[in-house]
Amino acid sequence: AAAKAVWCPACGLAALTPTTRRDVLVALAKQSILSKLHLPDRPNITQPTSRGALLTALRRIHAQQPVGTAPSPGLPHPGVGEQEYEILSFAETGSSTSRSVHLDFHFTRELAGSTEILQATLYLFWAVPSPGMHPITIRFVHPDPTGGTTPEGGGETRLEVQRDGWATLDVGQTIQNLFKQGGQRLSVELEVMEEQGSPLLAVHNDSHRPFVAARARARTPHRVQRR
Amino acid sequence: GIDCSGDSRTCCREEFFVDFKEIGWEDWIIQPEGYHMNYCAGLCPLHMAGIPGLASSFHTAVLNLIKANNADAAVDSCCVPTQRRPLSLLYYDRDSNIVKTDIPDMIVDACGCT
């Protein structure tokens, strides 16, 4: 800009040809969105979630919240320099036997970093083969060097399933501990008593795929105010 | 604030929409369909310092300061966003999780002169 002329940063754009200006602005928009999502590049989606699974999950989450309440009553709104995320993580089914099912939930590094888990719930759909109570043991495990799995310190939870339907489990502290240890994968083992006929976890029916619904808050790096 | 039109030269808001389908991002961004990446452009001569988009009393105060001091001593006034809102995104992350977040201050609604 000439020495005395008043300079405006965006006026440089006006000097560009429309095509070049558009390319500059699109590149700026991409860079701005990726940096605010803390993504090094746009994700390559290899297995998008089916519409059925997504709609079922959203219906379950809203059914879980009393009508008219805010998504997370009582939780303070994000402050300056904080950004809130709502995450739906669908299970990857690992090795299964007639008595147990292994599920993995993956969380990306961007979220696993300096993130505070405000709420996290595990949703499981059971198809009960016969009337009566069906005890199920749920434990969180992590892989051990022998290739097997070792239960997490958080112990295990027993559920009594009586009829078909969804069951939920609060996994907020478990995921927070996982992130604190720098982990990104939540592994869950479900064990049923075979002799009583196991309530099948409907993992193969896509719209009943197990999932974790979480609310997290990350601190966005911002300029430190100099005093 | 004022929206830029034709050959407006003073401070105004330039609208620019990035359609995610056009840039091949519609497979990982579920909602919305695009991003209004508006920006501020135009000159802020000294008599414009403090308008539009800000309270007129502020404008008067700025003009008085300029009159009181040597006009040349006053720094340039710049055309900047005076009103912004978040961009709400629903997208797939690298593990195909579905994430919803509001990125603050991403959409410029009004521009004004500092």
Side-chain angles (χ1 to χ4, degrees), chain B residues 9-27:
Chain B
R9 286 182 50 77
T10 49
C11 180
C12 56
R13 181 187 68 149
E14 193 72 61
E15 292 210 329
F16 184 78
F17 183 70
V18 181
D19 185 308
F20 290 140
K21 192 181 276 279
E22 275 181 26
I23 64 173
W25 276 18
E26 83 287 357
D27 62 326

Side-chain angles (χ1 to χ4, degrees), chain A residues 192-204:
Chain A
V192 293
M193 307 303 162
E194 189 175 358
E195 49 279 357
Q196 299 179 11
S198 60
L200 295 178
L201 185 63
V203 284
H204 307 297

Side-chain angles (χ1 to χ4, degrees), chain A residues 42 84 86 88 106 110, chain B residues 27 94-95 97-98 100-101:
Chain A
R42 55 142 292 165
E84 251 187 52
E86 292 180 60
L88 270 183
H106 295 270
E110 293 76 37
Chain B
D27 62 326
R94 294 193 286 173
D95 291 296
N97 295 328
I98 294 171
K100 177 186 175 298
T101 191

